[in-house]
Amino acid sequence: MGVALLAAGPRLISLLTRPFIPKAIFEPSSVGSIGRVSDFGVGMHTQFLQERRICVVRNSERLYVIYARCTHQGCTPDWVAQERKFKCPCHESGFCMGSTFDGDGMNCEGPAPRPLDRAHIALDPSGQVIVDISRLW
Ligand code: FES
């Protein structure tokens, strides 16, 4: 019997054991630390764009976090540093370009109906910047 199961392959074993394995979706937490304010010089910081879909912007007055989800249909725009724009790779055709957003997240071109959202941030007692992407504004 055991040999027969092994011979049937991993697909059959998977089908037989599936009812006993809980169905769970493992999503990353919507809240996380990005470091201290002093870790960010003036400018756009994209090191979290691929993993967490956020960009940190610091100017002379403040620090804020842009949530990089295109407001057209939700693709992740790329930051194009040479043009200082976010460019959405989706919905580009011969006549229309994908949406673009400036460094503040304001929509400039394309079908996006509004600016990129910003994520809620707070400082924890140790001085870490905590970003919560479940609280967008
Ligand atoms: S999702 Fe970005 S242009 Fe459509």
Side-chain angles (χ1 to χ4, degrees), residues 84-136:
R84 303 203 44 75
K85 283 183 178 175
F86 289 98
K87 287 190 168 184
C88 183
C90 299
H91 307 118
E92 191 174 81
S93 67
F95 294 110
C96 301
M97 58 190 323
S99 295
T100 64
F101 305 86
D102 70 14
D104 287 329
M106 297 299 296
N107 47 323
C108 304
E109 301 164 306
R114 61 180 179 79
L116 297 173
D117 291 315
R118 294 188 183 181
H120 179 270
I121 60 172
L123 281 180
D124 77 2
S126 69
Q128 293 287 315
V129 178
I130 306 299
V131 177
D132 184 352
I133 60 170
S134 72
R135 297 172 64 189
L136 302 174

